[in-house]
Amino acid sequence: MPHLTSLEDLSGDELADLLRAAEAFKKAPPGQLLDGRLVVSAFYEPSTRTRLSFEAAALRLGAKTLGFADQASTSAAKGESLEDSIRVLGGYGDAIVLRHPDTGAAKRAAEVSGVPILNAGDGRGEHPTQALLDVMTMTESLGTLEGKHVVLVGDLANGRTAHSLAPLLATLGAQVSQAPAAGLAMEGVPTMGLEEAARGADVLYMTRIQRERMAADADPLTLDPSWLGSKGPLIMHPLPRLAEIPRSIDTLPTAKYFEQAQNGVPTRMAVLAWALGELP
Ligand code: NCD
C-alpha cells in the first residue's frame, strides 16, 4: 500500500518521479487521470492551503472528494479512536488525506488503513507534501539544490514542515542550517543568527511560532528588510505568515511564499496519482 506518512516512505526513484511529475503537471495538467476515484479529506486540525490544494488537485484530475474540516463535527467528538474512524473512511473512499494534532497519527492510521494514507500534517511530526512543494519551488528558482545553503528559521522544535524539509534538502545535497527562535531549535542542524543568514544564504525558510503546540508563548523571529541586499536569498514560508515577514517584502522578486502555495496543487496532483497507481 503506497502510504505517504514521511518522505522516508519513498525510494529515491519515487521521490524523483514525484518531483518530475509535479513540474510536468504544472506545465500541462494531465486531465482526467483519476476519473471515478474518491478522495477522502479527514482534517482534525485547521487548514486552508493543504486541504483545499489537495481537493483542488483531486478535482482537477477528475476524482471526487468528500470529507470534514472540523473534528467537532465527527465522531471523534464522541470519543471514537482515530483507528476506528480510518477503518471506516477507507470503506468509503480510495485514499485518505489526513491531518491530525497527534504526532505519529499518520503512521497509526497507515497501520490499520485499507487505502493509502497521505499525511497532511501530524502534530509536531511531519508534513511531507509541504516539503515536496517547498523543494519544487526552490528548484524552479535555483536549479539544482546541490551545495545551496538553506536556513530554516523560527519554531523548528514544533514545526512539522521543517522536520520533513530538513532531511529532504540534505538528500538533495543542500547545506542546511537553522536560525531558531529562542528555545525552539531542532536537533542535529547547525545554528546561526537570522541577520547573518539573511545576508549570506541562498534560501531563508521562515516559519511561525506554533502557539497551539506549546504551553507558554514565544517571541517570533522577524525578517528585517534592511538585511536583504539587492540579490538577497529566496524568502519562503509554508504560510500562514504572522509577524515573521513584514508585508513590504511581499513585492520583492525573491519573495516566493505565494508561488509556493500555488505549487501545492501540482505537487498534490502528483502525490494522489502516485498513491492511486496512476503516475504516468
Ligand atoms: C503548515 C502546517 O500546517 O504545518 N501550514 C501549511 O500546511 N502550509 C505551517 C503552519 O501551520 O505553521
Side-chain angles (χ1 to χ4, degrees):
M1 187 69 59
H3 302 295
L4 184 57
T5 63
S6 160
L7 292 172
E8 287 172 10
D9 294 347
L10 299 175
S11 69
D13 282 349
E14 284 175 311
L15 178 63
D17 285 348
L18 279 178
L19 289 170
R20 224 181 347 257
E23 203 51 62
F25 289 176
K26 181 173 179 177
K27 294 201 178 86
Q32 307 293 294
L33 208 55
L34 299 182
D35 188 23
R37 306 301 186 92
L38 188 51
V39 175
V40 181
S41 45
F43 277 66
Y44 292 82
E45 258 195 353
S47 170
T48 300
R49 280 152 288 272
T50 305
R51 182 172 67 86
L52 294 175
S53 63
F54 255 116
E55 293 186 4
L59 293 166
R60 286 186 183 279
L61 292 177
K64 292 190 165 63
T65 65
L66 85 175
F68 55 87
D70 179 5
Q71 71 163 325
S73 69
T74 73
S75 281
K78 303 180 191 169
E80 186 172 48
S81 71
L82 172 67
E83 284 82 355
D84 283 2
S85 298
I86 290 292
R87 282 194 183 95
V88 171
L89 295 177
Y92 300 159
D94 301 308
I96 299 172
V97 180
L98 176 67
R99 170 167 289 191
H100 199 281
D102 294 348
T103 305
K107 284 201 169 31
R108 277 168 51 206
E111 276 168 21
V112 299
S113 181
V115 301
I117 296 292
L118 305 175
N119 184 3
D122 63 313
R124 300 182 175 80
E126 294 235 25
H127 196 346
T129 62
Q130 178 72 43
L132 290 173
L133 73 91
D134 294 340
V135 157
M136 174 183 181
T137 310
M138 290 180 205
T139 308
E140 284 177 340
S141 290
L142 300 175
T144 175
L145 298 187
E146 187 79 46
K148 297 292 185 332
H149 186 196
V150 181
V151 183
L152 310 176
V153 184
D155 183 355
L156 307 170
N158 300 301
R160 57 200 174 195
T161 63
H163 298 163
S164 288
L165 182 57
L168 177 60
L169 288 170
T171 302
L172 297 173
Q175 179 197 343
V176 183
S177 306
Q178 62 176 328
L184 297 173
M186 66 196 289
E187 281 174 20
V189 175
T191 298
M192 67 193 296
L194 177 55
E195 179 173 353
E196 186 193 350
R199 294 187 189 282
D202 295 298
V203 180
L204 289 183
Y205 187 90
M206 309 296 294
T207 67
R208 76 181 168 94
I209 303 292
Q210 303 278 307
R211 295 208 159 81
E212 67 273 42
R213 304 193 206 288
M214 57 180 69
D217 211 348
D219 289 330
L221 286 182
T222 299
L223 189 54
D224 183 331
S226 73
W227 296 335
L228 302 167
S230 59
K231 262 193 109 262
L234 298 185
I235 299 159
M236 300 187 56
H237 196 304
L239 304 178
R241 169 247 316 252
L242 301 177
E244 306 82 45
I245 305 178
R247 286 170 64 173
S248 65
I249 288 180
D250 295 359
T251 49
L252 296 181
T254 46
K256 295 292 173 191
Y257 25 97
F258 293 112
E259 263 175 69
Q260 207 180 330
Q262 282 193 350
N263 282 338
V265 176
T267 299
R268 288 167 176 137
M269 280 182 177
V271 168
L272 286 168
W274 166 79
L276 294 170
E278 301 291 352
L279 201 64

